[in-house]
């Protein structure tokens, strides 16, 4: 399986080969970008490129405002699924809301998260957490990972509250349909 360092290499290859796209409109991030599509990789470090941004576009306040209201009410159901059947494939936290698909201000990038438990022995499980992204900007990846670790830690804590289980973090698997680096960061990633 690919790792975050592999994704870094793929972006640099695209940039070195001048595979640069034009969004055709003035989006928040700029017109020119490099895009990788349909990626699956294991998160082995909390960034793709160590890009320092002046201010995180999606800081904690943004996530609390836009993401928490979408998932907080789903935690009890997900925890019940996992407790009643640790082998379930139904432990999903969904952020996508159908009525927002055509609202440019409301359509979130993270579509859903899927949680799996693998039994190690009695009362001990490994947890795997997969994130499914519609769109992801490399400079926001570090913030996304930080946020998803908070969600994963909450799930572990809720499981341990309900059951006397030892939960081992196994890994975070990242699925992204469109992963981008925008022109404003081309110079920063070329220095890597």
């Amino acid at each position: 399986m690919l790792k975050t360092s592999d994704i870094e290499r793929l972006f640099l290859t695209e940039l070195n080969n001048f595979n640069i796209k034009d969004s055709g409109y003035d989006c928040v991030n700029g017109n020119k970008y490099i895009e990788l599509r349909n990626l699956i990789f294991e998160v082995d470090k909390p960034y793709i490129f160590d890009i320092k941004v002046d201010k995180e576009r999606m800081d904690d306040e943004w996530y609390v405002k836009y993401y928490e209201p979408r998932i907080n009410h789903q935690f009890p159901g997900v925890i019940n699924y996992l407790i009643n059947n640790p082998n379930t494939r139904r432990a999903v936290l969904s952020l996508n809301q159908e009525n927002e698909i055509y609202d440019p201000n409301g359509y979130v990038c993270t579509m859903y998260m899927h949680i799996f438990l693998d039994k190690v022995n009695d009362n001990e499980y490994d947890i795997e957490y997969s994130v499914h992204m519609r769109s992801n900007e490399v400079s926001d990846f570090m913030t996304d990972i930080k946020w998803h670790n908070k969600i994963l830690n909450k799930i572990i804590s809720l499981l341990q509250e309900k059951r006397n289980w030892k939960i081992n973090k196994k890994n975070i698997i990242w699925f992204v349909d469109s992963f981008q680096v925008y022109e404003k960061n081309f110079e920063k990633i070329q220095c890597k």
Side-chain angles (χ1 to χ4, degrees):
M1 178 175 288
L2 294 174
K3 308 270 189 197
T4 49
S5 55
D6 296 313
I7 305 306
E8 180 178 312
R9 182 182 41 78
L10 291 171
F11 272 120
L12 288 172
T13 300
E14 290 297 298
L15 183 60
N16 291 334
N17 291 334
F18 300 104
N19 290 333
I20 298 169
K21 297 182 178 191
D22 190 329
S23 65
Y25 61 93
D26 188 18
C27 75
V28 124
N29 301 308
N31 287 336
K32 304 250 185 259
Y33 64 98
I34 302 164
E35 178 183 49
L36 300 175
R37 290 188 184 161
N38 304 314
L39 296 173
I40 303 169
F41 61 95
E42 182 179 349
V43 177
D44 62 339
K45 61 182 183 180
Y47 58 88
I48 303 296
F49 295 99
D50 192 9
I51 298 173
K52 303 291 185 229
V53 291
D54 296 334
K55 180 182 185 320
E56 292 176 349
R57 183 170 61 90
M58 296 183 298
D59 58 15
D60 282 348
E61 187 177 308
W62 190 93
Y63 277 89
V64 167
K65 181 178 179 183
Y66 292 103
Y67 277 41
E68 278 190 1
R70 296 167 187 261
I71 61 173
N72 277 347
H73 67 284
Q74 297 177 50
F75 281 107
V78 164
I79 298 305
N80 283 337
Y81 273 132
L82 291 167
I83 286 172
N84 293 328
N85 179 7
N87 295 320
T88 188
R89 295 181 303 274
R90 294 182 177 188
V92 174
L93 294 166
S94 177
L95 284 93
N96 181 21
Q97 297 180 4
E98 185 178 346
N99 63 338
E100 296 174 333
I101 290 176
Y102 301 106
D103 176 1
N105 298 316
Y107 202 37
V108 297
C109 294
T110 306
M111 303 307 287
Y112 65 94
M113 293 80 73
H114 203 162
I115 300 93
F116 297 96
L117 291 179
D118 293 312
K119 189 172 186 170
V120 176
N121 58 50
D122 290 342
N123 298 322
E124 183 177 358
Y125 293 88
D126 288 338
I127 191 166
E128 184 175 288
Y129 180 88
S130 63
V131 178
H132 298 257
M133 303 288 291
R134 171 187 61 80
S135 179
N136 202 185
E137 184 182 348
V138 166
S139 62
D140 292 328
F141 183 75
M142 198 176 313
T143 306
D144 289 331
I145 291 299
K146 181 172 69 174
W147 187 253
H148 284 287
N149 269 309
K150 286 181 183 182
I151 295 169
L152 178 54
N153 288 336
K154 182 173 182 171
I155 292 166
I156 291 170
S157 175
L158 290 168
L159 282 169
Q160 290 173 331
E161 275 178 29
K162 298 275 186 182
R163 293 286 189 267
N164 189 24
W165 289 349
K166 180 180 180 197
I167 307 290
N168 309 309
K169 277 191 190 181
K170 188 174 175 187
N171 50 25
I172 296 178
I173 305 296
W174 210 260
F175 294 75
V176 60
D177 295 334
S178 172
F179 212 178
Q180 317 92 33
V181 173
Y182 282 89
E183 186 174 25
K184 65 184 178 183
N185 290 315
F186 286 178
E187 215 172 90
K188 294 175 185 174
I189 70 170
Q190 283 176 318
C191 298
K192 303 298 175 190

